[in-house]
Amino acid sequence: MNNLPTKYILKILLAPLILFAACSNSYVNNIDKGAGYKYIPGYPELRVVASGFIEQDNTASINIASEIVEGSLVFKRKNAVYQAEGIIEYQIIDLDNSKNVVSTQQFPVVLTDSSNKLSFSQNTHKVERDFKVTPGSFRIVTTLTDNNTGKQIERTSNVYIPDPDGDVNNITNIKILSKKTLENASYDPVTTYVIQNDFDSLKFVFQITNNRSTDPLTINTRLLKFESDTSIARPMNFNNYGPSSIEYKGIEYSDEIEVNTNRRVLTNQGNVMIEFTFPNLDRGNYRFEVSSELDTENELYKARDFSIKSKNYPSLRTPKELAKPLYYLMSKDEYEELMEIEDDTELKKAIDRFWLSNINNSQIAKSVVELYYQRVEEANKQFSNFKEGWKTDRGMMYILFGSPWYVDVTLNRTVWRYSYNSSDPEKNFVFVAPKLKNKFFPFENYLLERSSDYYTVQYQQIEFWRTGLIMKRL
């Protein structure tokens, strides 16, 4: 081996990786990762999921479920009430012929509120529509326009509907529905990768087209849970994460736990709708997968990834949720003492004491608290991946320092600049992604290049928050 040229050594070392990628490619391409929040400050917030199904009469349809964050729209006073107005447009494009726009339809969105509380609400207004199509591959472009501001946001998603009369077995997209814990609650489509943990149960729905032959078709399903990083970002002046640590890797798809397995044999030809329901899933990152006849030319495989986070996510409402992000402003002893408080009322009092003991002016303290938790929530929407956005390195920096003035992005490196001077070491921060976002690793996991030199700038920024001086530096 030592006598081989370097290029041959590299080929030998890379061969297993290339083989793994080739073998895994067909599976990875059939894993639906779900959508992120794709939050843009100041714009309407729109979350969309599209699913294709075959009806009982063998016609095909696309279901598009949209959620509009109420507080992301601008309300204006009109006829003694506050009102937000918008237009949601659905455009369905045939991917087999991109010039063929199958359907374009618009629907009005009107929200009214007598007290203007909806302007601050993170609850969502749901819009769900069904569209008749022929079997095939489609791109759905959903656009939301806020009529009061003219601002517009767009989301795209792809759907494949197999031909029910074809002689090839197939699996449709896997649709996740969530049922709230409220009485008489119905199942609603899940529109993002993240699922709030306020549900009574989750339902997974898909269809099998079993037309190839009269032979029985065995369908296997598995619910998997993956090990992932759940830690809060460590201080800027600490050491960098080691390459073998879970913080560095982010999520371990090779380290899976089987939560549930099931086997079902289909004996009849035709289209079969299959549902699985799971109650009481813990927080974490999951995959629900459906397969049949693996490692054969007729293999079938589809999967849907999802993550379960807190019931109020991306918002923070409970005392425990409000306490945890104070990690970035407290000493280790202060934080440990705070987190030992189990009673919610006492914990809320301790949080209030923390802010008021450092900021003597209650009005300024109120403004600082609002700003801090606004940034925490925005960090959740912008930087969420396998863990909460506020826990990520970019989330930490966003909370402490706000939006960067400039952002420079290269292949696996991004630089946040808070100065016109690009060489100022105290105002320019480098983040590096150990893995690039791709079909095998669908997350952006940028890690700050830490340095002991950051101790002073970090200490100063924390003091600005603790004393309320942060309001003068906006």
Side-chain angles (χ1 to χ4, degrees):
M1 183 94 173
N2 292 336
N3 296 323
L4 288 174
T6 303
K7 64 178 181 179
Y8 292 113
I9 296 175
L10 288 174
K11 284 185 179 180
I12 293 171
L13 293 174
L14 291 174
L17 297 177
I18 295 170
L19 179 62
F20 171 79
C23 294
S24 303
N25 191 52
S26 61
Y27 298 147
V28 172
N29 288 338
N30 286 304
I31 299 174
D32 181 358
K33 305 298 183 182
Y37 291 109
K38 298 181 180 178
Y39 170 77
I40 302 176
Y43 279 75
E45 293 182 52
L46 175 66
R47 303 161 190 169
V48 179
V49 65
S51 306
F53 286 96
I54 301 165
E55 306 294 343
Q56 291 183 346
D57 60 359
N58 267 9
T59 60
S61 66
I62 294 176
N63 173 267
I64 307 175
S66 308
E67 290 184 316
I68 303 166
V69 177
E70 294 169 339
S72 71
L73 298 177
V74 172
F75 286 76
K76 291 186 176 180
R77 192 168 181 82
K78 185 177 182 179
N79 299 327
V81 297
Y82 293 91
Q83 185 166 294
E85 298 178 356
I87 296 289
I88 191 166
E89 178 182 281
Y90 301 105
Q91 186 178 67
I92 302 176
I93 303 168
D94 184 352
L95 288 179
D96 297 325
N97 179 9
S98 59
K99 295 182 180 179
N100 180 19
V101 178
V102 177
S103 176
T104 299
Q105 295 190 38
Q106 294 183 340
F107 301 93
V109 176
V110 179
L111 304 178
T112 58
D113 180 20
S114 59
S115 62
N116 201 27
K117 289 183 179 179
L118 292 185
S119 293
F120 310 97
S121 172
Q122 291 301 304
N123 294 330
T124 56
H125 174 73
K126 294 176 173 58
V127 180
E128 193 169 355
R129 295 287 185 270
D130 291 311
F131 299 88
K132 292 287 187 180
V133 294
T134 57
S137 299
F138 303 91
R139 172 164 294 133
I140 294 90
V141 181
T142 307
T143 306
L144 173 65
T145 304
D146 186 336
N147 290 350
N148 286 333
T149 64
K151 290 185 177 180
Q152 190 176 84
I153 199 75
E154 182 180 282
R155 298 286 177 259
T156 61
S157 50
N158 293 339
V159 166
Y160 170 70
I161 306 175
D163 185 354
D165 296 321
D167 60 357
V168 178
N169 292 338
N170 248 309
I171 305 173
T172 63
N173 300 84
I174 299 170
K175 187 175 183 179
I176 305 181
L177 302 105
S178 172
K179 180 182 178 183
K180 305 297 183 184
T181 55
L182 301 174
E183 290 185 12
N184 302 320
S186 59
Y187 279 99
D188 293 319
V190 171
T191 60
T192 58
Y193 173 76
V194 171
I195 301 175
Q196 294 175 326
N197 193 14
D198 62 346
F199 57 84
D200 171 75
S201 57
L202 294 180
K203 182 186 291 186
F204 298 81
V205 182
F206 58 94
Q207 273 181 305
I208 302 290
T209 59
N210 182 26
N211 298 325
R212 184 165 51 83
S213 71
T214 57
D215 297 334
L217 181 65
T218 300
I219 298 298
N220 301 299
T221 63
R222 294 200 304 165
L223 179 63
L224 307 174
K225 186 176 183 181
F226 302 105
E227 181 190 1
S228 60
D229 173 30
T230 60
S231 65
I232 302 174
R234 63 176 57 169
M236 299 164 56
N237 61 302
F238 277 35
N239 293 331
N240 289 318
Y241 299 110
S244 62
S245 67
I246 189 62
E247 292 88 354
Y248 186 89
K249 296 176 182 179
I251 186 169
E252 284 276 26
Y253 283 115
S254 60
D255 188 359
E256 63 186 39
I257 299 172
E258 281 193 352
V259 179
N260 180 276
T261 60
N262 191 279
R263 184 172 178 267
R264 180 170 177 177
V265 179
L266 305 181
T267 56
N268 297 325
Q269 284 185 307
N271 307 310
V272 180
M273 182 80 73
I274 299 177
E275 298 180 355
F276 286 91
T277 302
F278 298 100
N280 305 321
L281 292 179
D282 296 330
R283 290 170 65 171
N285 295 277
Y286 294 83
R287 173 176 297 161
F288 179 79
E289 61 179 25
V290 183
S291 64
S292 177
E293 302 181 281
L294 293 180
D295 300 323
T296 73
E297 62 179 358
N298 300 313
E299 72 176 18
L300 300 175
Y301 183 86
K302 281 285 175 68
R304 171 66 157 88
D305 284 7
F306 62 99
S307 176
I308 296 178
K309 291 183 168 62
S310 65
K311 68 176 184 178
N312 298 314
Y313 198 79
S315 300
L316 298 90
R317 295 176 185 169
T318 68
K320 201 73 169 180
E321 291 171 349
L322 295 169
K324 288 182 178 180
L326 294 178
Y327 177 88
Y328 296 134
L329 301 183
M330 289 182 162
S331 68
K332 181 181 178 181
D333 290 342
E334 284 178 315
Y335 189 74
E336 289 179 351
E337 183 179 343
L338 181 72
M339 299 310 294
E340 286 176 357
I341 303 174
E342 296 182 359
D343 181 77
D344 281 353
T345 301
E346 293 303 314
L347 183 57
K348 181 62 171 65
K349 290 179 180 179
I351 294 171
D352 292 341
R353 281 197 302 271
F354 166 76
W355 289 108
L356 291 172
S357 64
N358 290 280
I359 306 172
N360 296 324
N361 185 303
S362 60
Q363 193 59 43
I364 295 176
K366 183 175 182 294
S367 299
V368 172
V369 170
E370 288 176 353
L371 176 63
Y372 191 77
Y373 289 112
Q374 176 186 329
R375 288 191 182 176
V376 172
E377 188 171 303
E378 290 177 350
N380 280 341
K381 292 178 181 179
Q382 295 184 76
F383 310 118
S384 281
N385 45 36
F386 39 82
K387 67 179 178 180
E388 292 85 345
W390 74 265
K391 291 182 176 180
T392 65
D393 282 4
R394 287 187 299 171
M396 172 184 68
M397 298 300 289
Y398 182 86
I399 293 167
L400 290 178
F401 295 89
S403 297
W405 296 9
Y406 307 99
V407 178
D408 297 333
V409 180
T410 55
L411 184 62
N412 70 328
R413 186 174 181 269
T414 182
V415 182
W416 284 14
R417 306 192 186 281
Y418 293 88
S419 170
Y420 296 113
N421 181 2
S422 60
S423 61
D424 185 347
E426 294 188 351
K427 297 296 176 62
N428 297 277
F429 305 100
V430 178
F431 301 85
V432 175
K435 295 181 184 178
L436 291 176
K437 182 179 179 181
N438 55 53
K439 58 190 175 185
F440 297 100
F441 187 82
F443 303 109
E444 288 187 341
N445 183 33
Y446 281 94
L447 302 179
L448 175 69
E449 288 194 342
R450 287 166 167 78
S451 170
S452 58
D453 295 336
Y454 286 147
Y455 177 83
T456 300
V457 66
Q458 178 182 238
Y459 177 81
Q460 289 176 341
Q461 196 69 13
I462 291 172
E463 285 302 299
F464 290 147
W465 279 103
R466 292 181 64 128
T467 61
L469 290 176
I470 192 70
M471 304 305 297
K472 296 182 178 180
R473 300 181 63 83
L474 298 179

